[in-house]
C-alpha cells in the first residue's frame, strides 16, 4: 500500500512578521505567500472593532503600514491567506 505525500502550500505564522512592535503607527508587515495566494491584514481595537484592513498581494512581500491616526494603545492584528487565519497577535501603538 503506497502512502501519498502532500505538500502543505498554506502559509504559516512563521511566514509573517510585523515590526517594530511597539511602534508609533508606522510599521512593516513582512510575509511570504505560496504561489497564487492573496492575503489580508486586519487590525482590531480592544473592543473587537476593525480599525484597518489591508490587502496583501500574491507572492513574497513587505508592506509598509501607516496608521498614524490611531491613538496610543493596544490593538490586535490578524493575517489570513485565502481566508485561513495564519497569525493573530498583539500590536502596541506608543506615541
Amino acid at each position: 500500500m503506497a502512502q501519498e505525500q502532500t505538500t502543505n502550500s498554506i502559509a504559516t505564522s512563521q511566514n509573517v512578521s510585523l515590526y517594530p512592535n511597539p511602534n508609533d503607527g508606522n510599521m512593516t508587515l513582512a510575509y511570504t505567500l505560496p504561489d497564487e495566494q492573496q492575503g489580508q491584514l486586519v487590525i482590531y481595537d480592544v473592543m473587537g472593532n476593525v480599525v484597518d484592513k489591508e490587502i496583501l498581494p500574491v507572492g513574497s512581500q513587505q508592506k509598509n503600514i501607516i496608521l498614524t491616526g490611531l491613538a496610543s494603545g493596544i490593538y490586535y492584528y490578524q493575517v489570513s491567506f485565502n481566508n485561513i487565519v495564519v497569525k493573530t497577535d498583539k500590536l502596541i501603538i506608543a506615541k
Side-chain angles (χ1 to χ4, degrees):
M1 185 175 191
Q3 285 186 326
E4 284 186 49
Q5 286 188 339
T6 59
T7 57
N8 186 356
S9 64
I10 297 172
T12 65
S13 63
Q14 290 82 20
N15 301 89
V16 178
S17 176
L18 183 76
Y19 61 91
N21 191 8
N23 65 64
D24 63 358
N26 290 302
M27 64 204 95
T28 301
L29 180 70
Y31 58 95
T32 303
L33 292 175
D35 292 338
E36 304 304 317
Q37 288 194 20
Q38 184 176 359
Q40 179 174 280
L41 166 70
V42 181
I43 299 176
Y44 303 90
D45 64 16
V46 293
M47 300 300 291
N49 300 310
V50 174
V51 296
D52 188 60
K53 281 187 186 179
E54 303 278 338
I55 298 299
L56 307 176
V58 173
S60 298
Q61 298 286 329
Q62 275 190 211
K63 184 166 179 79
N64 293 325
I65 315 277
I66 300 172
L67 299 174
T68 53
L70 290 181
S72 294
I74 297 173
Y75 297 85
Y76 294 92
Y77 70 93
Q78 183 178 72
V79 178
S80 59
F81 301 124
N82 285 351
N83 297 318
I84 298 170
V85 175
V86 296
K87 184 164 189 170
T88 301
D89 208 349
K90 187 187 312 185
L91 167 65
I92 298 172
I93 303 289
K95 297 183 180 181

